[in-house]
Amino acid sequence: MLSIFDIYKIGIGPSSSHTSGPMLAAYLFTTVNQDRIEDITSIKVELFGSLSLTGKGHHTDRAVMLGLAGFKPDTVKSHSANLLLKEIAGSNRLPVLGKHPIQFTPSQDIEFHRTSLPLHENGLRITAYDQHNILCTETYYSTGGGFISTEKELLNPIKKPKFSVPFPFNSAEELLYQAEQNGLSIGTLILKNELCFCGEQQLNDTTDKIWRVINKCIERGLKTEGILEGGLKVTRRAPALFKTLQANNDIDTDPMGILDWVNLYAFAVSEENASGGQVVTSPTNGAAGVIPSVLMYYNKYIRAIDNTQLKDFLAVSAAIGMLYKSNASISGAEVGCQGEIGVSSSMAAAGLTAIRGGSNEQICIAAEIAMEHSLGMTCDPIGGLVQVPCIERNAMGAMKAINASRMALKRNSKSLISLDKVIATMYQTGKDMNKKYRETSQGGLAVIHLSPPCE
């Protein structure tokens, strides 16, 4: 079983699979081999598939260098990271784990392959050498949401769960059955499972930390003006929209006015993510604006959210995320954006329905509706950047989640399509999707001619 905080992680933008995952893989490579660090004279990094095709725009090369130098996604500070990257660029030397400098020329020692490795679309291989021979090598796969696996782990998956939880489930049907048999809400069931991963105090503390990071991210996004780097010259829209809405707060006279604020919160987080800021992966960085936007919608316009409701929201939405991660995919490179924005919207719809008093069945109906109408969504970022169409797509995902929740809460009839069926359909749709629409920037909007061209 997965933990709530496997689904909700603190990381840096712009991508969980292309930035956070590779950084963590490089960090683990050096720590696993730290007893041999002094023997390392050079390191070669090979990026494959989507990590290569959109790696520049997603900062994969930078992430790997930071990981090799001892930085982790959940603790890295942007200022320190940028200083180190400048030092590496200027000296062609990289301090492995921050203490063993080696010769490292990014343009030569990071190789971008257009082909994919066999087990997943996001592959990377790291090889360390001594003076004469290969010292150690490892192949990693970044499977979405900051999750990584070695080649051995994917070929020989662990059969038994690391933690034995009181209410195990492998499908939405089993989740609903467990809840019904034990007289529990989905949120309470998941929180009881979570206590097998951490104590109650740690659960409360981590929940509070997640909420603090979300709020700080929104605050930064609302006040930081400028142009997002990468060559598209995309202007940050959140600060100007915020000023406009503050000056013309017409929610009382405009029935649709709240939607502008929902858009605003999604823009603020997504623009922070696009700039490499700290975000909550939920379940990916490319979709990191959906859930914060829906939470702020509830917090501002329904009632102030308290710790109990926040835990319920995170537990329920994480349960939905676990189902997608275990039975399908949350990787845009594997199944398109339906696996990122679609999953996040499905999670948000479920969480919102829970804290608005929905039944267990209504929670699953809301999650199903949000995904049913995200099926087939492509991942085709222009220039390999998490900017266009990604920023607006987060806002649309938030809107879809709110509407899906409202539909579910007002539904009296049974749903013809189960959540399990829509999860299976999403996965099959993604696998059938032409690879040029799966985070390769080789099709769809990504091939629109731009002048000047993206860097």
Side-chain angles (χ1 to χ4, degrees):
M1 296 300 296
L2 295 171
S3 161
I4 294 170
F5 305 112
D6 287 326
I7 302 298
Y8 287 101
K9 296 189 283 285
I10 295 171
I12 61 163
S15 172
S16 49
S17 61
H18 288 57
T19 313
S20 295
M23 184 187 298
L24 182 58
Y27 173 81
L28 291 177
F29 179 82
T30 55
T31 54
V32 166
N33 296 290
Q34 58 184 323
D35 58 331
R36 294 182 280 184
I37 281 181
E38 296 299 325
D39 298 324
I40 296 175
T41 58
S42 63
I43 292 178
K44 301 290 184 183
V45 179
E46 297 173 88
L47 304 176
F48 296 88
S50 180
L51 288 188
S52 170
L53 293 167
T54 60
K56 288 283 189 180
H58 286 67
H59 299 177
T60 306
D61 48 349
R62 304 184 199 181
V64 171
M65 288 188 283
L66 292 173
L68 292 174
F71 287 84
K72 293 175 61 181
D74 58 337
T75 57
V76 62
K77 303 299 182 184
S78 296
H79 179 69
S80 301
N82 290 332
L83 285 177
L84 177 63
L85 291 171
K86 288 182 180 179
E87 289 177 11
I88 295 171
S91 66
N92 288 330
R93 292 184 68 78
L94 185 151
V96 180
L97 274 184
K99 57 187 178 183
H100 176 59
I102 62 169
Q103 190 71 23
F104 191 90
T105 305
S107 61
Q108 298 175 11
D109 294 324
I110 301 178
E111 188 172 359
F112 293 80
H113 297 279
R114 298 182 68 84
T115 56
S116 296
L117 294 176
L119 301 181
H120 194 275
E121 288 77 0
N122 292 330
L124 68 155
R125 182 181 296 126
I126 306 175
T127 305
Y129 300 83
D130 60 18
Q131 289 286 0
H132 308 289
N133 302 298
I134 292 176
L135 192 62
C136 45
T137 185
E138 185 62 85
T139 299
Y140 296 93
Y141 290 92
S142 182
T143 57
F147 289 89
I148 61 167
S149 297
T150 64
E151 185 174 59
K152 181 179 179 181
E153 288 168 341
L154 282 189
L155 288 172
N156 300 287
I158 298 172
K159 300 299 182 183
K160 294 182 180 181
K162 185 177 180 182
F163 291 91
S164 178
V165 297
F167 307 109
F169 60 92
N170 293 305
S171 66
E173 182 179 5
E174 290 179 7
L175 176 61
L176 287 170
Y177 177 80
Q178 286 274 30
E180 181 180 357
Q181 289 299 300
N182 292 280
L184 299 172
S185 68
I186 290 177
T188 299
L189 182 151
I190 297 300
L191 289 170
K192 287 181 178 293
N193 280 353
E194 189 65 24
L195 293 178
C196 295
F197 295 87
C198 64
E200 189 161 356
Q201 186 60 53
Q202 185 180 352
L203 172 60
N204 289 330
D205 290 346
T206 309
T207 298
D208 289 341
K209 184 176 182 180
I210 292 291
W211 186 232
R212 286 198 305 272
V213 171
I214 286 174
N215 278 274
K216 287 181 180 178
C217 183
I218 290 174
E219 289 172 11
R220 291 194 307 272
L222 293 180
K223 68 183 182 182
T224 306
E225 300 180 354
I227 304 293
L228 294 172
E229 67 171 285
L232 292 184
K233 301 188 183 303
V234 172
T235 300
R236 284 177 177 253
R237 292 157 61 183
L241 178 58
F242 184 44
K243 291 176 182 177
T244 298
L245 294 180
Q246 283 186 312
N248 303 279
N249 195 350
D250 54 1
I251 290 177
D252 293 335
T253 57
D254 180 2
M256 304 296 284
I258 289 176
L259 300 188
D260 295 327
W261 289 89
V262 174
N263 288 335
L264 172 66
Y265 299 132
F267 287 171
V269 174
S270 300
E271 288 168 0
E272 273 299 292
N273 178 65
S275 69
Q278 187 180 62
V279 298
V280 174
T281 303
S282 52
T284 69
N285 285 19
V290 175
I291 283 170
S293 179
V294 172
L295 278 170
M296 292 304 292
Y297 156 76
Y298 181 87
N299 186 57
K300 295 285 188 181
Y301 302 109
I302 298 178
R303 57 163 289 184
I305 195 166
D306 57 30
N307 184 269
T308 299
Q309 288 183 306
L310 184 59
K311 283 194 295 185
D312 195 31
F313 182 100
L314 294 180
V316 169
S317 56
I320 303 304
M322 292 173 197
L323 293 173
Y324 283 104
K325 174 60 182 172
S326 300
N327 299 325
S329 175
I330 58 173
S331 167
E334 188 175 13
V335 295
C337 200
Q338 56 177 358
E340 298 201 34
I341 294 293
V343 171
S344 192
S345 183
S346 185
M347 290 168 57
L352 181 61
T353 302
I355 60 176
R356 296 207 68 185
S359 67
N360 290 341
E361 187 172 357
Q362 286 174 322
I363 287 168
C364 289
I365 288 173
E368 180 276 321
I369 291 171
M371 177 52 75
E372 181 183 348
H373 302 290
S374 299
L375 292 174
M377 189 184 295
T378 58
C379 184
D380 48 355
I382 296 178
L385 299 163
V386 190
Q387 297 179 18
V388 181
C390 316
I391 294 170
E392 287 183 350
R393 193 168 279 178
N394 273 266
M396 297 300 291
M399 297 291 193
K400 193 177 296 183
I402 293 168
N403 199 19
S405 176
R406 294 181 67 85
M407 288 183 184
L409 286 167
K410 291 177 171 57
R411 182 167 188 154
N412 296 317
S413 59
K414 288 280 187 181
S415 177
L416 293 177
I417 302 173
S418 70
L419 177 57
D420 288 325
K421 287 180 179 177
V422 84
I423 290 173
T425 300
M426 183 274 276
Y427 187 61
Q428 189 59 55
T429 302
K431 287 300 187 182
D432 290 341
M433 191 183 294
N434 190 300
K435 67 179 182 180
K436 69 183 181 180
Y437 300 116
R438 289 187 278 132
E439 208 168 1
T440 61
S441 288
Q442 294 180 320
L445 293 174
V447 298
I448 291 176
H449 177 70
L450 297 171
S451 182
C454 306
E455 296 177 356

